[in-house]
Amino acid sequence: MEFTAKQLAGVLKGTVDGNQEAKATSFAKIEHGKPGQLCFFANPKYEEYVYTCKASILLVNKDFVPKQEVTPTMVRVENAYTAIAELLKYVATQKRTDRRHRGFRSSWFLTSKFGKKVYLGSHSYVGHHAVIGDYTKIFENVYIGDNTVIGKHCIIYPGVSIYPGMVIGDNVIIHSNAVIGSDGFGNAPQPDGTWEKIEHLGNVIIGNNVEIGACTTIDRAEMESTIIGNGVKIDNLCQIAHNVQIGDNTVMAAQCGIAGSTKIGKNCILAGQVGIAGHLTIADNTTIGAQAGIIGNIRKSGQVLLGSPALPVKSFMRSYAIFKQQGESK
């Protein structure tokens, strides 16, 4: 779908600051914007990217005053966050309307492509234009959506749901009832106190040699991709939110929750029930103890963190000794 800045301004009741005929055919986060893409700026935390963004069109709040030259054509709207939510919803609605639903007697279509010696269990479904690599095993009652790509030597256990458009590498194991590609938890507050759902049009990209535990959910990106690096091991009952990036060879025990747009480095260890807030960066080789809560960036590599809010292990143990003594003195 293609938009001009003028068309966007008309749909979103905004004004154009720049070339009215600037065109965009896809969406991107502001830090990754390229020509032909549309980005939005609503959080002051990301203002530095306004001046480096190369997107063709940038949605901004109408009262935004740039401090430097801005390359994209700006479309000024009342609320950029609400506007992008409306636009994503419109595009998603158009895609759903355009889909052709066909009846079927078997669990796969002639447009699906299977490699050598693929096993497909009974009552499993493989959508249109999906690609399944050599020697992959898809067990019973699995759903694989249209345009999904799954690599070689993968094992998809019963009950897994993989939404349309996901990309999964080689030697990946996905355990029962995991969900790959569900919508992220994105809702825009409205003036009347209600919440408007933000449609998610991105996907999930899973690298090679990844294992994903039972009942774990990995949300599709709002735009672009949620990324799980090579060699990542995720336990059961974990929640990976939209646009999260997890570096190579990071491991995560059960019941961890990672909020949206957080970037976790390589070779990290997250013990059980770790919670990490959104839009954070976790350095490589970080170890986080069980039930720890991360509310700020971890910039120094190689740290061990405990507690909630989490502290470096030596600081935590000193603090623990003090409050333990206070408890015992009563």
Side-chain angles (χ1 to χ4, degrees):
M1 188 170 290
E2 183 178 83
F3 299 98
T4 66
K6 183 179 180 180
Q7 289 170 333
L8 281 173
V11 170
L12 301 174
K13 299 179 181 179
T15 59
V16 177
D17 189 348
N19 178 14
Q20 294 199 14
E21 299 306 316
K23 294 180 180 180
T25 58
S26 63
F27 301 92
K29 295 191 292 185
I30 190 170
E31 57 266 43
H32 299 153
K34 297 177 181 178
Q37 294 183 319
L38 181 147
C39 300
F40 77 102
F41 168 62
N43 188 337
K45 178 179 177 180
Y46 291 90
E47 183 173 352
E48 62 179 294
Y49 297 112
V50 171
Y51 311 115
T52 58
C53 182
K54 302 300 182 184
S56 296
I57 302 173
L58 180 65
L59 291 180
V60 299
N61 293 338
K62 67 178 184 179
D63 58 357
F64 171 63
V65 179
K67 299 173 184 175
Q68 303 176 33
E69 183 179 353
V70 178
T71 299
T73 291
M74 291 188 289
V75 175
R76 296 181 176 274
V77 293
E78 190 69 31
N79 184 306
Y81 192 68
T82 300
I84 194 69
E86 292 176 356
L87 187 58
L88 291 172
K89 181 178 180 179
Y90 173 75
V91 173
T93 301
Q94 293 298 112
K95 284 189 174 183
R96 283 194 287 265
T97 302
D98 290 342
R99 287 190 62 182
R100 298 177 181 178
H101 297 278
R102 298 182 176 93
F104 61 94
R105 295 178 180 176
S106 63
S107 56
W108 54 276
F109 295 91
L110 293 176
T111 58
S112 305
K113 295 182 180 179
F114 292 89
K116 295 182 295 185
K117 296 185 177 181
V118 170
Y119 172 79
L120 181 63
S122 60
H123 303 293
S124 287
Y125 172 97
V126 179
H128 290 284
H129 306 290
V131 178
I132 311 297
D134 297 344
Y135 305 103
T136 284
K137 294 180 180 179
I138 300 168
F139 286 91
E140 291 68 31
N141 298 304
V142 170
Y143 170 84
I144 297 173
D146 298 349
N147 301 302
T148 286
V149 177
I150 299 177
K152 302 175 183 178
H153 298 281
C154 294
I155 301 175
I156 314 296
Y157 283 104
V160 170
S161 294
I162 301 174
Y163 281 50
M166 305 300 112
V167 178
I168 297 171
D170 299 333
N171 302 304
V172 172
I173 300 171
I174 305 179
H175 290 276
S176 293
N177 299 315
V179 178
I180 312 298
S182 51
D183 280 359
F185 187 67
N187 296 279
Q190 303 301 300
D192 62 357
T194 61
W195 295 85
E196 180 72 17
K197 177 179 173 60
I198 298 174
E199 296 289 349
H200 286 65
L201 303 181
N203 71 345
V204 175
I205 298 176
I206 297 175
N208 300 326
N209 305 306
V210 172
E211 185 164 2
I212 297 167
C215 297
T216 283
T217 56
I218 303 177
D219 294 342
R220 69 192 300 139
E222 183 178 295
M223 52 188 77
E224 301 185 11
S225 303
T226 299
I227 298 174
I228 311 298
N230 296 324
V232 169
K233 311 297 180 185
I234 301 175
D235 199 357
N236 303 329
L237 296 165
C238 292
Q239 157 64 11
I240 313 299
H242 58 258
N243 291 100
V244 165
Q245 296 181 25
I246 299 178
D248 295 349
N249 302 314
T250 283
V251 296
M252 185 182 307
Q255 298 185 351
C256 287
I258 315 299
S261 297
T262 282
K263 298 179 181 179
I264 299 176
K266 299 177 181 178
N267 302 107
C268 294
I269 299 173
L270 280 63
Q273 296 187 332
V274 165
I276 302 179
H279 301 274
L280 300 182
T281 299
I282 310 299
D284 296 345
N285 302 297
T286 297
T287 298
I288 305 174
Q291 296 189 325
I294 308 296
I295 61 172
N297 293 319
I298 307 300
R299 295 185 174 88
K300 183 179 178 181
S301 177
Q303 292 189 89
V304 178
L305 305 168
L306 299 174
S308 186
L311 297 170
V313 61
K314 290 184 179 179
S315 298
F316 176 84
M317 296 308 295
R318 285 194 295 267
S319 300
Y320 176 73
I322 293 170
F323 65 70
K324 182 181 179 182
Q325 286 177 347
Q326 290 177 337
E328 291 173 347
S329 65
K330 293 183 180 180

